[in-house]
Amino acid sequence: MLSRPKPGESEADLLHFQNQFLAARASPAVKIVKKADKRKGKEGKAGAETPSLQDHKDVVMLDDFPDILPTLAPTPPKKSKIKNACVHFGDEDPEERLERHDQHITAVFSKIIERDTSALAVTMPVPTGDPFPRTFHRSEIKSEVKVGSGRKSIFAQKMAARRASEKAATPPSAAECVQVRSPAPDALDLQGSTGEAALPSIRDDKAGDSLTSQRPCFITGEGLGSQKSKQEAQAIHRENLEKLRSMSEEEILKEQEKLLAQLDSSLVAFLKSRRGGNEGQKKDLKMEQSRLEEFVESLPVAQRGVGSSLSMQELSLEESVRKEENMKVEVTDADLPVKPKKEWIHMDSVEFEKLEWMKDLPPPRQKKTKKGMQARFSLKGELIPADADLPTHLGLHHHGEEAERAGYSLHELFHLSRSQVTQQRTLALQVLGRIVQKARAGEFASSLKGSVLQLLLDAGFLFLLRFSLDDAVDNVMAASVGALRALLVSLDDEKYLDWTFSWYQGMAAFPFVPSSEEEEDDEEEELNGTEKSQDKKLKDENKPDPDVAQYDVVKGLLKTRIQHRLRYILEVVQPVPTVVLDILHILTHIARHSSEACSKLLDCPRLIETIVREFLPTQWDPLVAEPGCLLTSLHGVACATAMKFIRVLASGGRNATARLLNKFEMRSRLSRFIAQDPLDLVLPREEAIRLSTEAFRLWAVAAGYGQACDLYRDLYPVLMRIVQSLPELLSTCRGKSPVIELSVQRATAVVTLLTHVTQTAGYAAELQAKLNSNSSEDSEQIPPPSVAWNEVSSLQPFHETTLKKFLQEISQAETWQTLQPLTTAYVIYLGVYYSACSQQPSVNPIDYLEELERLTSEVLQPLLSQPAVRRMWDLLRPCSTLCNPLSCSPAPESVLSIASLSCTGGKPPLSLVGSKSPFPFLTAILFLINSITHVHKGLTSKYSSVLESRGLKDYLHQSWQTGPPSVTPSSAWLLRHEYHLQYFVLALARRMASTCPDYAQHASLHHCVGMALLSRLLPGSEHLAYEVLLDLAFNPQFLPEGKAGGPEAADFSDILHLDTSAKVAQPGSVAVCLSKVTRGALLRESYQNLPLIRSCYLSHFVHFQPTLMRSQASYQGQNYLIQSMLLPEARGPILPSDWPFFPLINLYNKVTNTETRGGVLNSLPLDLVNTVTWNLQWVLLLETWRAKTLQSIPTAAKLARLMCVFLTGSDLFLEAPIHHYTAALLSVYCQARALDSLNLDAPLPGLASFHDLYISLLEQFEGVSFGDPLFGVFVLLPLQKRFSTHLRLTVFGEHTSILRALGVPLQQLDLILCLKNKSPAPFPVPLERYVSPPEDNLNLLQLYFRTLVTGALRHSWCPVLYVVAVAHVNSFIFSQDSTTQETDAARKSMLRKTWLLVDETLKKHLLCYRLLNAESPLGFDLYEQLPPMRLKYLQMVTQKENENAPALVL
């Protein structure tokens, strides 16, 4: 009996046992029995004894591989061509079907064409003595012949060796001895048919070929179908050789180049490939090359060039063969890491080609090319350089494409993520998550072309993660959660949002809505906010998930009900702590998206309950606080990240906060985590401080809505203990440590909470009075808060005392940098306290004002005089976002569908949210000063040093002149904080202007800043915009030019301008015009009407009333009216850049919308003339004294807005004041600099098409212009040569009737001069802008000529366009430039028609036009006699060959 193998026996022993077993011929101990299929039931058991014919094969199934290979790209299914023809029924007779489909044999064999075998040699079989052909065994054949190319099995190699041996043993036939092969087509053969010496040629792989072959290489004659086909081919070949002999070397090379140019490159490559390719080619090449060199040396000198050219071709071919051989490296025994042995089973004959996969990988190639290569990543998500040679044991070479390169491409990782092996799916998702994380950090920005994140999202990465979340394997779920967190969440963004939480208005934040949502339809612009949001919501619900995720990832994920899956993972799966934290971060990011997202999270069944129960319990295992304790599960342990998620969720709205406090028992959690000191919490110290900080922030958010203030009474002792302990931070913050920074953040959150509680208590008395009165029956009754003013007023002395101590450390840089957030919170608290204190009926006003004076003299004035504060003013400009737009630019890998603050990697210290930023503290100081001066205006002059600060003035001057960065999620939150500082500076300046006589020197700067701020304020800051409009924009004190000689300076400027153009006017006309209306008089009248102008603009901004009320509630501290801490979406500024034209645009839109609906607007506002006049007055003031504030509006847009004067109402423009101010503005826009910047072809903001607007203007001119010259100037302005030809074609093709009414004179005077005397307004644009360069549009030139000839265009009716048309037609008919035949014929035809004109005046103008002349009554000069060249050309065209013809004279 054979023994079983024992431990320790080698492989040789196993082989020995196997040989013994085979020699003994013993029966195996195990039998293979085929089991019946359980799915077939009894039939399967019965059929197991008699297996069917279909189951006679054993099938090997691999568990880890699918039956069908997955396709990477979707392909259409294959359709059977005979499927429809093979449909049979069960009751159909097979015999009838066979008869029906039977076809006679003639139908099958009727088209058989026999091959022509007449020219083939017939060989008799060799007689043998054996009855059958002799069989052979492959072992009898020696496999010495190696196959040159391709992979062949051992059997194929044996057969190839047998054929080679038989062919070598067979003697050549007589025909083969006679037939010889010709040289290559590109070689020159000098031997004729008589046996002359021939050029050597490359050998073929046939045995009968020789170097002296005369047989053609490619032409065999087999297709000729005759017996003499080979002879004919040979004759053709001889003719070719004779032709080559008769040609020189240059002719041969020329013909060769011609053939190569005509032939297809693939055909040339095929012909060259026929020249060689076997294994002996290289040796033959060397031999033939040596013989070729000897032969060339024996040639005459004149023929050596051809031979040398041949040798070069041979060398190039040899080089190509060498390259191919280098590519095909044979596998030998030495290349294999494991040497095969013959005693192994089936290894007696080794097939090295099948073992090629075992050899070492070739080194990575150094591809020196500009073409990009596929990016490959390591398992850590790092980008691997293309030339990196990494060892294979790292596991980076398990891929098919580019096997020698380490790393995996995104395509391979996507493919691996769909594997059936759990570890492979997990690994692929983990690597993809690391790649995303590094991409968001910007590590690939300089190495890769394009965005990795956008490429992944376009490839479906988001839904790959969503599908992986539904996986049943925990590791796959964990990997997908980690990748999703890397895609959505930026921990640095969250860090800076927490940093700005305690800034002024820092609790409110913009929603994380992408700024690239789909464009709204034009019809939706007429809907109000509620209707638009509802309509948009319905559209999103009807769209597929991928379409929604394409422009908003979070919204797309919510459509997939991701919150339900995350709840299931937290509640049922209960993953490890890392996965729990990732899920909480994802939920926090979703909650920041919008109020709708917060509602969906709150409405998700058991989601909030699970988070509160599992991660915010009131008691837990105390072992988690022990040092070195490794948490295996976060369930049942309090977590600061969960508290932060609840806080962000509460920011979504006051209703959400009420539900969290009452329904989800967060009120008891707040009491639990606030009442106990962080040092006493059974948690790690840092985690305990974070948890306490987030609890205070959540309470601050609730207090911001006026909720949870009853906890203030319950926790008052705890709060007082914390407030009294805050000065102790001064002694502990000398050094830097994470615990100290966390403690300062917690103290800041406490002060922020008390600020909002104080703000809420400030309106308790007012709400109580409204509740007790009967005057507010119509409005909703709001109950007063549960905290009164006398309960919070006792906190102020403690805060002020602590603030004084902290301000003493302002000169210590390190200490101040640590304490600055807490100090800022104290200053904001004092500002809120004094604002609310002034509204309390129980406060003594005298004591209150004395306290403000004491605070100013003891605290604020010494603070503002310190050098450290002056350095802060100097840091405003380096840290400003407006002055440094690149500081808020989007990250390199930011995608439009995911909102991000672009804080990954941190912000530099000198930035708005950097560690050295002065903005939060200075904004708080200015807020406190504004609160003090609002109540005690006598203290305003005490703070004049603020506006005198050189650093502040430099910052303001730079900020308003620099264009603001585009509004994106990464810039909006920074700009909002910067605009707060600018607003408080302007508020202080407004009070300073009314109390300080020396303020006028800063008025212009602050007015420019205010005008720029109006065009930049973002949604949510409507209250600030209203205050600037109300108190600063139209304030005469901020326009000192009105009192300091501004109108007189404008008149003087016009007089100086007249000196240059007085030659054009009559001697007495200037004096007459100046005595009437001047630009200075218009400016003086506008300055006096500033109060009326302000009321006009405020009335037209009434549609902002709802958003203005919400904004006022936030900035005025009316917490009981605040609905949400999420600001409106920041799509752009509140007011458009062209808001100075807003009243005029509103009136035009009102008229246009009514006419679009088919109605007629008969009831324009009664004060329409005043409204338009005030609008034009304000624009004239800005264009004269604040021109730079309107630089952001294109000149074309200004002209388009000014055209609305003529399109609003029928005869509105004829009113005298409107006519005057429109002419004044037109003179401004017709200056040389403005005309150079005028571009009507570019898209204009707020205007769909200027062409459509111009057509409306032409139609209005035809109907109601009455030939008004001012209206005519607006019609003529867009007809300049450099603008679109379509505008001129519209006038001369469709609206020729206006040519009779465009009576604008040619003299270039100022438009202001002749308004009162009703004299025609002169044309203010130089005519050179209309006639240069010459017109080249044939259709337009023909229209010019037609209007002139038919009399539709006359000099007395429309002198400007008459000059333009004459100049262009004259230039065209006498042009000698080469052009198309059609244009030349039209040119000559037009010249002949001009010569035959009956109107002699027009004929002279067209033929004798010379150049423009503004002083001439015609507007141009004429030739007294045509130049000889033109005269000769005219005679040639008109066929007047008489040289003595009289010359044309005037």
Side-chain angles (χ1 to χ4, degrees), residues 132-166:
F132 296 99
R134 181 177 176 275
T135 60
F136 67 94
H137 196 271
R138 67 177 187 176
S139 59
E140 302 175 2
I141 304 172
K142 297 181 179 180
S143 58
E144 297 179 356
V145 180
K146 301 291 184 180
V147 181
S149 62
R151 297 184 177 182
K152 293 186 178 182
S153 63
I154 296 178
F155 181 79
Q157 296 178 18
K158 297 284 187 179
M159 294 302 295
R162 179 174 178 272
R163 294 192 191 98
S165 61
E166 291 178 354

Side-chain angles (χ1 to χ4, degrees), residues 510 515 966-968 972 1015-1020 1022 1128-1136:
F510 288 106
S515 58
S966 58
V967 178
T968 60
S1015 301
R1016 296 174 177 178
L1017 285 172
L1018 300 174
E1022 289 82 4
E1129 298 179 16
R1131 300 293 180 190
I1134 302 171
L1135 299 178

Side-chain angles (χ1 to χ4, degrees), residues 495 498 581 585 616 638-645 647 673-674 677-679 681 683-698 737-739 741-747 749:
K495 169 188 172 183
D498 295 342
L581 294 177
H585 285 307
L616 292 173
C639 176
T641 308
M643 184 67 77
K644 179 180 179 179
F645 164 66
R647 185 251 298 178
F673 296 118
I674 288 176
D677 191 87
L679 298 178
L681 286 175
L683 287 172
R685 186 175 182 182
E686 295 183 4
E687 181 68 13
I689 298 176
R690 291 193 188 96
L691 180 60
S692 179
T693 303
E694 290 299 334
F696 278 110
R697 287 174 179 169
L698 173 59
S737 69
V739 176
E741 293 182 359
L742 292 175
S743 301
V744 172
Q745 291 182 16
R746 176 175 176 268

Side-chain angles (χ1 to χ4, degrees), residues 922-984:
L922 292 181
T923 304
I925 290 292
L926 290 171
F927 169 64
L928 177 59
I929 293 174
N930 181 67
S931 301
I932 294 174
T933 55
H934 177 72
V935 178
H936 196 328
K937 295 180 174 56
L939 296 177
T940 304
S941 59
K942 302 290 185 181
Y943 300 103
S944 58
S945 61
V946 174
L947 301 182
E948 296 289 342
S949 173
R950 188 176 191 84
L952 178 62
K953 290 190 291 186
D954 291 344
Y955 159 71
L956 293 177
H957 185 75
Q958 178 70 19
S959 64
W960 80 266
Q961 290 186 340
T962 305
S966 58
V967 178
T968 60
S970 60
S971 64
W973 71 297
L974 297 175
L975 293 173
R976 179 172 175 266
H977 291 295
E978 185 164 357
Y979 294 156
H980 287 160
L981 181 137
Q982 291 189 355
Y983 168 75
F984 288 126

Side-chain angles (χ1 to χ4, degrees), residues 649-706:
L649 197 61
S651 301
R654 63 185 306 112
N655 295 331
T657 305
R659 292 177 62 183
L660 289 171
L661 291 176
N662 301 317
K663 179 180 177 181
F664 299 108
E665 301 179 353
M666 285 306 301
R667 189 183 299 270
S668 61
R669 262 66 177 182
L670 285 178
S671 302
R672 165 70 175 86
F673 296 118
I674 288 176
Q676 192 171 7
D677 191 87
L679 298 178
D680 299 333
L681 286 175
V682 190
L683 287 172
R685 186 175 182 182
E686 295 183 4
E687 181 68 13
I689 298 176
R690 291 193 188 96
L691 180 60
S692 179
T693 303
E694 290 299 334
F696 278 110
R697 287 174 179 169
L698 173 59
W699 192 5
V701 171
Y705 297 123

Side-chain angles (χ1 to χ4, degrees), residues 1141-1389:
F1141 298 90
F1142 204 70
L1144 188 58
I1145 295 174
N1146 277 348
L1147 293 174
Y1148 169 73
N1149 290 333
K1150 187 176 181 181
V1151 174
T1152 305
N1153 294 336
T1154 305
E1155 293 177 352
T1156 302
R1157 298 187 182 96
V1160 178
L1161 187 64
N1162 297 321
S1163 60
L1164 285 172
L1166 297 177
D1167 57 345
L1168 177 62
V1169 176
N1170 292 333
T1171 301
V1172 177
T1173 302
W1174 292 332
N1175 192 167
L1176 296 177
Q1177 287 176 346
W1178 176 239
V1179 176
L1180 180 62
L1181 286 176
L1182 294 180
E1183 289 288 358
T1184 306
W1185 295 333
R1186 298 289 182 268
K1188 290 185 178 181
T1189 60
L1190 300 179
Q1191 283 182 346
S1192 59
I1193 310 175
T1195 307
K1198 297 177 183 178
L1199 277 176
R1201 272 66 175 170
L1202 210 56
M1203 288 178 181
C1204 296
V1205 173
F1206 303 96
L1207 298 174
T1208 303
S1210 57
D1211 56 352
L1212 178 66
F1213 64 94
L1214 295 177
E1215 297 289 339
I1218 295 178
H1219 203 271
H1220 295 161
Y1221 286 102
T1222 305
L1225 287 173
L1226 182 61
S1227 65
V1228 174
Y1229 299 145
C1230 288
Q1231 296 176 1
R1233 182 179 300 178
L1235 289 176
D1236 292 338
S1237 63
L1238 184 62
N1239 185 9
L1240 300 179
D1241 299 331
L1244 301 178
L1247 191 62
S1249 171
F1250 182 82
H1251 186 265
D1252 297 340
L1253 179 68
Y1254 187 67
I1255 291 177
S1256 302
L1257 188 70
L1258 293 178
E1259 294 173 352
Q1260 189 80 350
F1261 184 84
E1262 290 175 340
V1264 299
S1265 68
F1266 303 104
D1268 182 67
L1270 180 62
F1271 200 162
V1273 174
F1274 277 89
V1275 173
L1276 292 173
L1277 266 177
L1279 300 181
Q1280 299 179 44
K1281 179 62 180 65
R1282 62 193 183 96
F1283 299 140
S1284 175
T1285 309
H1286 297 288
L1287 300 176
R1288 299 189 291 276
L1289 287 172
T1290 302
V1291 173
F1292 285 91
E1294 303 173 10
H1295 298 274
T1296 55
S1297 59
I1298 69 172
L1299 299 177
R1300 185 160 185 165
L1302 277 172
V1304 181
L1306 292 170
Q1307 286 76 17
Q1308 299 181 17
L1309 288 177
D1310 200 300
L1311 290 173
I1312 295 297
L1313 297 179
C1314 301
L1315 295 175
K1316 282 290 185 180
N1317 56 352
K1318 302 297 182 181
S1319 60
F1323 189 57
V1325 183
L1327 288 177
E1328 287 80 2
R1329 295 180 179 271
Y1330 289 82
V1331 300
S1332 179
E1335 185 62 61
D1336 56 356
N1337 188 287
L1338 183 58
N1339 295 330
L1340 183 57
L1341 288 167
Q1342 291 174 347
L1343 290 176
Y1344 282 158
F1345 187 72
R1346 187 180 69 181
T1347 54
L1348 289 171
V1349 172
T1350 58
L1353 179 60
R1354 300 181 184 181
H1355 189 276
S1356 58
W1357 292 348
C1358 184
V1360 175
L1361 293 185
Y1362 181 85
V1363 175
V1364 173
V1366 168
H1368 283 303
V1369 172
N1370 177 268
S1371 176
F1372 177 68
I1373 60 179
F1374 286 109
S1375 175
Q1376 301 295 323
D1377 297 337
S1378 59
T1379 182
T1380 62
Q1381 185 177 0
E1382 179 186 1
T1383 305
D1384 184 65
R1387 182 167 54 193
K1388 293 179 179 179
S1389 174

